[in-house]
Amino acid sequence: MREFIVEADGGSRGNPGPAGYGSVVIDATTGETLVEAAEYIGVATNNVAEYRGLIAGLRAAHTLDPAAQIHVRMDSKLVVEQMSGRWKIKHPDMKPLAAEAGSVFPVDRVTYEWIPREKNKHADRLANEAMDGAQPIQGRGELRDQPPPARAMTTANADVRAARNVAAPSPGWAPADMGAPATFVLLRHGETPLTPQKRFSGSGGTNPSLSPVGQDQAARAATALAARGTIQHILASPLTRTRETAAAVADRLGLDVTIEEGLRETDFGAWEGLTFGEVRERYPDDLTTWLGDPTAQPTGGGESFAATATRIAATRDKLIAAYAGRTVLLVTHVTPIKTFVQLALGAPPEALFRMELSAASLSAVAYYADGNASVRLFNDTSHLR
């Protein structure tokens, strides 16, 4: 039985911020480096990047020999202890990543060891190169003639490559054999009593239901989507207004609704229920900081836009993997939908303030097998007229 050492690392410049990982597969007998892998993954936390590095290293080792014995060495105490089963995994973003890492090899064929950062320089260098260049590095060593792992299509490289393709599209846009994309049709919920008053209404507020106007909007959206005839699955944020909107569509389409926690709205902290003017009057300094810094939280410990972006990127990755080649309706909120679009375009965080998104509007983003994302529709309200 062959034995491999997998060294992995990940980093984020901002935590969350621009992030990347590096992985190395080493022959345990000869000490020869067999594979290097690194990738820029967009906006993410250190821990997400570290897990992504682990997954890439394990997959590279599995490609070399799926029957091998693996010894993982990382300088992330959290990842090593969680994957060894000694620490519980509490963060919702970490659970699917840990499960994915644990599924590559049988548990009894992988051991984990924490090492100091100075002994993990190879993987650390690759991670920093990925962040510096925002370019994927795949397939050095024995894997140089192999295609990149399927996971590549779910990473935030899609955000960067999509923006480049818009600026300078390649002939024909894409190879003919790329296959059907995973298409997310993004439906904002219908109006609630807070919507026409333009009040902050996130995941930490009163959780309002749809107003009569919102119920009518949901019914009109359902009619439009039924006429479209392409929706195969429906997922919704856990909040009441999105559940009610999704239920109206599901009833018309004859589909079930799956609740997806990652689609919830941003938590606006102490600003919940207030208008923009009221926030400016009560918390002027906090508002100014929030408008200029995506890592700033609303007053009272709400969720920053950077944290929301990290959550949405992880949710996107998970859903692309689960629904490849299918069309899925995601019933969600203003900030998540704008973030899906911002990431797909490779736009800066301030782009969120430059989008108008109406209640019960439809948007759509397609994700292809080569990692590219294509914004197909934004803020369509024609069904409401």
Side-chain angles (χ1 to χ4, degrees), residues 188-250:
R188 185 190 170 193
H189 62 81
E191 282 190 11
T192 74
L194 300 180
T195 307
Q197 300 174 27
K198 297 187 180 300
R199 296 184 179 275
F200 282 93
S201 182
S203 60
T206 58
N207 195 20
S209 297
L210 296 179
S211 66
V213 170
Q215 293 170 1
D216 179 67
Q217 291 172 332
R220 289 172 180 266
T223 299
L225 290 166
R228 181 188 183 111
T230 57
I231 302 299
Q232 297 167 288
H233 307 275
I234 301 175
L235 282 73
S237 152
L239 299 181
T240 299
R241 52 197 182 272
T242 41
R243 285 175 178 262
E244 292 176 346
T245 304
V249 178

Side-chain angles (χ1 to χ4, degrees), residues 125-191:
R125 173 177 59 79
L126 291 173
N128 277 285
E129 287 178 356
M131 287 184 279
D132 290 339
Q135 291 286 344
I137 305 170
Q138 295 283 359
R140 296 182 185 175
E142 292 185 16
L143 296 186
R144 60 184 177 276
D145 295 325
Q146 298 292 331
R151 179 70 178 177
M153 76 175 181
T154 70
T155 68
N157 273 316
D159 312 336
V160 177
R161 287 201 292 268
R164 289 175 179 159
N165 273 353
V166 170
S170 58
W173 287 88
D177 61 351
M178 191 179 300
T183 301
F184 297 164
V185 178
L186 305 163
L187 172 61
R188 185 190 170 193
H189 62 81
E191 282 190 11

